[in-house]
């Protein structure tokens, strides 16, 4: 028999994981999860009310788990396993559909969003406190895990924005005009080049921010 202190985390964990499983069940019954959609028209079989229920149960699992660290981290681990399974199936099974098919860009966005959500839920602690030597004053700062998540999330946003901007710029400058009547297939190459440049710039920015943060830490301690 659990005491009150132990029962609450256990109840939160079981409830959060149960809601996640229920959401997956709704998706499967509603034909949002398919393994044999070779035609690519599997979305015609969706049962939309079950998709709405799946969305509510998934959101509910996050809300329930957020109140307890153990439940939050276990739910995050479960979501990370789910994300890896979705990625594996999308790469190996041409007929796999998890709401979206493997050749649809929306599935990639979903995988990234699910992975980021899982990492946020798995965060050991969001803030750390430190005491300056010779002083009782405590300093509160973001934990290393949270900083890493912020850097990764910002990099993804900048890279995607650079890709679309690079593609649009190439199309407007090289594939426009009254005499152009074909498809601008090479515009994606320009988008990838812009995205690669964005990765390099973000790497430099992250390294610079971390160096500045480490240099300011001794100054705050002395102050």
């Amino acid at each position: 028999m659990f005491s009150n202190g132990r029962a609450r985390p256990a109840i939160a964990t079981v409830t959060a994981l149960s809601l996640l499983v229920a959401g997956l069940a709704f998706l499967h019954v509603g034909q949002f999860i398919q393994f044999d959609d070779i035609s690519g028209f599997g979305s015609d079989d969706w049962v939309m009310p079950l998709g709405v229920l799946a969305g509510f149960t998934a959101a509910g699992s996050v809300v329930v788990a957020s109140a307890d660290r153990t439940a939050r981290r276990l739910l995050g681990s479960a979501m990370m396993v789910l994300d890896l399974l979705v990625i594996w199936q999308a790469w190996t099974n041409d007929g796999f559909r998890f709401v979206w098919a493997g050749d649809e860009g929306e599935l990639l966005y979903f995988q990234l969003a699910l992975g980021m959500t899982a990492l946020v839920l798995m965060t050991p602690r969001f803030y750390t406190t430190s005491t300056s030597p010779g002083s009782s004053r405590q300093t509160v700062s973001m934990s290393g895990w949270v900083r890493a998540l912020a850097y990764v999330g910002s990099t993804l946003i900048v890279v995607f924005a650079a890709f679309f901007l690079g593609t649009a710029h190439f199309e407007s400058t090289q594939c426009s005009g009254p005499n152009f009547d074909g498809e601008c297939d090479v515009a994606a190459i320009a988008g990838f080049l812009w995205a690669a440049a964005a990765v390099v710039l973000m790497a430099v920015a992250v390294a610079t921010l971390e160096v500045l943060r480490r240099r300011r830490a001794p100054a705050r301690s002395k102050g």
Side-chain angles (χ1 to χ4, degrees):
M1 184 72 65
F2 288 114
S3 63
N4 290 335
R6 295 182 179 179
R8 291 178 181 176
I11 292 174
T13 301
V14 171
T15 302
L17 293 177
S18 298
L19 287 171
L20 179 62
V21 172
L24 292 174
F26 287 138
L27 287 178
H28 181 65
V29 174
Q31 296 295 314
F32 291 91
I33 301 177
Q34 301 174 26
F35 298 90
D36 56 354
D37 181 26
I38 304 300
S39 67
F41 295 96
S43 57
D44 296 338
D45 300 327
W46 288 351
V47 182
M48 291 306 298
L50 292 178
V52 175
L53 284 176
F56 277 115
T57 53
S61 67
V62 175
V63 172
V64 171
S66 62
D68 178 75
R69 177 187 292 183
T70 302
R72 174 171 56 79
R73 296 178 70 177
L74 287 176
L75 179 64
S77 300
M79 285 186 170
M80 182 59 69
V81 172
L82 173 62
D83 196 31
L84 293 175
L85 290 175
V86 171
I87 294 172
W88 168 57
Q89 279 295 301
W91 274 93
T92 60
N93 185 359
D94 293 334
F96 178 71
R97 172 181 288 275
F98 194 95
V99 184
W100 302 280
D103 58 352
E104 298 178 9
E106 290 83 355
L107 182 60
L108 174 61
Y109 302 150
F110 171 78
Q111 292 167 353
L112 293 173
L114 181 61
M116 289 298 298
T117 302
L119 289 175
V120 171
L121 291 172
M122 292 167 61
T123 302
R125 60 172 57 90
F126 292 93
Y127 297 97
T128 59
T129 58
S130 59
T131 304
S132 302
S135 173
S136 60
R137 189 179 70 174
Q138 289 187 333
T139 302
V140 180
S141 59
M142 288 190 300
S143 66
W145 189 292
V146 172
R147 293 200 313 276
L149 287 176
Y151 292 147
V152 171
S154 301
T155 300
L156 289 175
I157 293 174
V158 172
V159 167
F160 276 106
F163 174 81
F164 289 115
L165 289 173
T167 302
H169 179 266
F170 189 90
E171 290 177 345
S172 64
T173 57
Q174 305 296 327
C175 302
S176 60
N179 296 326
F180 182 80
D181 57 357
E183 295 184 1
C184 195
D185 297 331
V186 295
I189 299 177
F192 283 119
L193 292 176
W194 281 46
V199 171
V200 175
L201 291 176
M202 288 300 298
V204 173
V206 169
T208 302
L209 289 174
E210 282 297 298
V211 169
L212 291 176
R213 188 188 68 83
R214 293 180 181 276
R215 287 183 176 180
R216 290 174 180 172
R220 286 197 299 264
S221 299
K222 293 178 180 178

